[in-house]
Amino acid sequence: MITRIGGRHLIGISLIMCLLSYSPARALAGNPADYEVVPLPQSIVMQKGEPFILEASVEILATADLQQEAEFLKQYLKEVTWNDLPIVQKRTKKVRYIELAISPNVKEAEGYILTVSQKGVSIQGGSTAGVFYGIQTLRKAVKEGLIMNPVVITDAPRFTWRGMHLDCSRHFFSVDFVKKFIDLLALHNMNRFHWHLTDDQGWRIEIKKWPKLISVGSKRSGTIIGTNSDIDDGIPYGGYYTQDEAREVVAYAAARHITVIPEIDMPGHMLAALASYPELGCTGGPYQVGHYWGVYKDVLCVSNERVYQFVEDVLTEIMDIFPSEVIHIGGDETPTDKWLQCTRCQALQKQLPAPQQAAEDFEPLTSKLSPLQAHFTKKVFDFLTSKGRRALGWDEILDGSPQSAMIMSWRGTEPGAKAAETGHDVVMTPTTYCYFDYQQVKDTQFEPSRCGGFIPIEKVYSLDPAPDSLSVTAREHILGAQANLWAEYMTNEAMVEYQALPRMSALSEVQWTQPEHKDYEAFKERLTRLTRLYELYHYQYAKHLWPDRQLPSRWQF
């Protein structure tokens, strides 16, 4: 449990003003830093003694291998306190420091120990990532004030997979916004960015061996208007990321200790690819990039050997761009209608064994499971494995998948629980807790999304990805949790931010904080403080928890 020892020893306002040089930071001087941030650290132990004052004469002390982290700390402190602290590599007498170090005393790689005394501040991490998360805690704490009372914070995350997903296929978002979104992940101690790059409504990543994926597949000639509508706006829409832009995003995320997980959804959700290369489908087309939302019956022809050459070429270039061990191959919502009508596919199916029905308790959303999809999935798995990578897919791929398959459980938590019990590694991302395109308040007056679901922030906070009801072995296979932002009804960047915030903060405590330390009412107080950073960085966020704050008008979205 979180403990506090000793009292708070505050010095007078007049003395503080003398200690601080004249700057806007003086406005914060009379307030103590608040260490109860979001996500809540595992242990906060207050100490006796006089406080440390974060004044302009303080320096950041960091070794050569921590210069990047030191630069982040310098930037963050300048943004929240206006103090522009110098970075040094050698200690000087009579100077007080914020010292960054990697220490064998911190056993967890992503863990850290943050110590404050009158003499200075120390952040020791089990790795550079651990130091970075300690910096995030410091950054959020001193937003409240520059008086840092003595403390020892010992912290490490509960889960190794702490993710957020962004769909850039249905609506396209700029590289600059993707970076801004990654900054949100960093603020919330998240370490996986699941980038959904292809779908029926647009192919968004350059593949040099198959150039029509961009010249044709990245553009649609119109988009459906509204929810469950048959009205098409007829306005051309498109956008894509060059490979160089994607590498730029990967490097930006890596600097913040975030791994980018690319998703190329297959064999369904491939209409944009089929419009580009009709020979990859069972009928040969013609096809067009999708205008409306939902599930299309046209999928890759799994009996066509050219399809496997296409998949291998695409994944080869994807692996060259994205160094992540894990590559997401989708696998969800794959109708079998076209396979049932295809003589080649039916001939192939007769040669295949029926897949093991590992998820027989969970009815697929589209059609009966097919040995053809299991055949396709295994070939893709084998190819990725041969390249030293690991495949991840939505929970539909559980049927007939090899033991090494990673499962993303979206049709509730039950498929993930069952997969974990059978030895599969699992990321929990159930629609009932983690689909942030769903509405977050019942009153839709100010809700930009019309997806139809309802997930309030308290529901997100209540998620336990690895409850005690699972066996000890199964809990070891729950890697963590992730929320998804599907962009059918998110037409601009402000809407993405609004749908993510503040629910993202609740998810961060699900991912980071041990369940015995969670308290929703206390969380709301900490969240109120965190929103000051949202406003500092001009993020849109839902304000229904604060009735006195101005709600956004629809036109703002």
Side-chain angles (χ1 to χ4, degrees), residues 277-298:
Y277 295 96
E279 66 271 23
L280 300 178
C282 289
T283 68
Y287 308 102
Q288 69 168 347
V289 179
H291 287 212
Y292 63 86
W293 320 127
V295 178
Y296 289 81
K297 293 182 178 180
D298 285 301

Side-chain angles (χ1 to χ4, degrees), residues 144 148 198 243 248 252 319 402 429:
E144 298 305 302
M148 302 186 67
T198 69
Q243 293 193 3
E248 182 182 335
Y252 189 87
M319 287 185 285
T429 177

Side-chain angles (χ1 to χ4, degrees), residues 30-142:
N31 300 320
D34 196 319
Y35 303 121
E36 293 192 1
V37 299
V38 176
L40 184 65
Q42 307 298 355
S43 173
I44 304 172
V45 182
M46 303 306 299
Q47 306 292 305
K48 295 180 179 180
E50 296 299 317
F52 172 79
I53 311 300
L54 186 55
E55 53 191 323
S57 61
V58 171
E59 296 181 353
I60 299 170
L61 178 62
T63 54
D65 57 339
L66 287 171
Q67 290 300 297
Q68 180 173 267
E69 281 62 41
E71 289 289 347
F72 278 120
L73 177 57
K74 176 184 174 75
Q75 171 191 329
Y76 293 147
L77 292 181
K78 186 176 181 180
E79 290 167 349
V80 301
T81 73
W82 296 281
N83 282 332
D84 190 3
L85 306 185
I87 299 171
V88 298
Q89 294 189 36
K90 293 183 180 181
R91 191 181 297 275
T92 304
K93 290 182 179 180
K94 297 183 180 179
V95 175
R96 295 191 301 167
Y97 296 99
I98 301 174
E99 183 175 3
L100 309 181
I102 297 174
S103 171
N105 295 328
V106 183
K107 303 307 179 184
E108 297 89 351
E110 292 185 297
Y112 66 89
I113 300 172
L114 192 160
T115 305
V116 178
S117 71
Q118 185 181 15
K119 295 179 180 180
V121 177
S122 166
I123 300 176
Q124 296 180 319
S127 66
T128 53
V131 172
F132 184 76
Y133 297 129
I135 288 170
Q136 294 297 336
T137 294
L138 178 64
R139 166 197 192 185
K140 287 173 270 196
V142 300

Side-chain angles (χ1 to χ4, degrees), residues 6 49 94 116 152 195 202 230 247 315 339 364 383 393 406 432 465 504:
K94 297 183 180 179
V116 178
V152 176
W195 202 4
D230 58 0
R247 288 189 177 93
L315 291 178
W339 295 342
F383 175 71
M406 288 179 63
T432 45
M504 199 169 170

Side-chain angles (χ1 to χ4, degrees), residues 296-544:
Y296 289 81
K297 293 182 178 180
D298 285 301
V299 299
L300 293 178
C301 182
V302 295
S303 64
N304 183 350
E305 285 304 314
R306 184 162 169 76
V307 163
Y308 297 100
Q309 187 60 58
F310 166 77
V311 169
E312 290 186 7
D313 288 345
V314 168
L315 291 178
T316 295
E317 294 193 32
I318 290 295
M319 287 185 285
D320 185 59
I321 301 166
F322 298 92
S324 166
E325 178 192 9
V326 176
I327 305 295
H328 203 304
I329 62 168
D332 63 316
E333 299 177 328
T334 304
T336 59
D337 303 61
K338 299 300 181 181
W339 295 342
L340 292 172
Q341 299 165 11
C342 175
T343 56
R344 291 180 302 174
C345 287
Q346 287 304 295
L348 174 61
Q349 181 163 325
K350 291 176 181 178
Q351 303 172 27
L352 301 174
Q356 180 183 357
Q357 299 294 306
E360 66 272 13
D361 295 337
F362 307 102
E363 188 67 23
L365 301 182
T366 51
S367 57
K368 292 182 178 180
L369 293 167
S370 168
L372 290 171
Q373 183 167 356
H375 169 75
F376 173 87
T377 300
K378 185 178 185 305
K379 293 192 71 156
V380 177
F381 268 68
D382 289 346
F383 175 71
L384 288 173
T385 300
S386 73
K387 303 298 182 183
R389 303 299 182 97
R390 194 174 181 194
L392 168 64
W394 302 108
D395 56 59
E396 285 96 327
I397 71 166
L398 183 58
D399 300 277
S401 290
Q403 191 65 41
S404 61
M406 288 179 63
I407 306 300
M408 195 163 269
S409 185
W410 73 280
R411 296 177 297 173
T413 58
E414 294 85 0
K418 185 163 189 174
E421 293 287 3
T422 56
H424 292 273
D425 286 341
V426 173
V427 178
M428 287 294 190
T429 177
T431 57
T432 45
Y433 295 87
C434 295
Y435 269 44
F436 285 3
D437 47 309
Y438 289 7
Q439 294 171 192
Q440 51 191 321
V441 295
K442 286 185 178 179
D443 183 354
T444 62
Q445 180 181 1
F446 297 103
E447 287 288 272
S449 175
R450 292 294 178 268
C451 195
F454 170 54
I455 302 178
I457 188 170
E458 56 267 32
K459 182 69 179 291
V460 178
Y461 196 79
S462 70
L463 173 65
D464 187 348
D468 291 340
S469 57
L470 295 178
S471 69
V472 173
T473 301
R475 291 200 298 271
E476 291 174 352
H477 284 288
I478 304 296
L479 303 182
Q482 172 182 294
N484 298 334
L485 282 162
W486 299 103
E488 286 92 338
Y489 303 105
M490 287 183 273
T491 58
N492 60 63
E493 297 165 355
M495 290 174 71
V496 173
E497 294 172 12
Y498 179 90
Q499 292 298 118
L501 300 174
R503 290 184 290 192
M504 199 169 170
S505 62
L507 179 67
S508 74
E509 293 215 346
V510 169
Q511 298 166 333
W512 185 276
T513 306
Q514 294 294 336
E516 61 268 23
H517 295 163
K518 290 172 60 184
D519 180 305
Y520 180 66
E521 292 303 317
F523 161 75
K524 287 196 294 184
E525 294 182 14
R526 288 181 278 109
L527 173 59
T528 298
R529 295 192 291 271
L530 182 62
T531 59
R532 293 169 190 147
L533 279 175
Y534 294 167
E535 292 175 357
L536 176 66
Y537 296 115
H538 306 292
Y539 285 108
Q540 289 277 6
Y541 65 97
K543 299 177 181 177
H544 59 283

Side-chain angles (χ1 to χ4, degrees), residues 205-218:
I205 183 70
E206 176 188 24
I207 302 297
K208 293 181 178 179
K209 276 195 174 182
W210 297 78
K212 288 184 181 179
L213 292 171
I214 292 308
S215 63
V216 175
S218 71

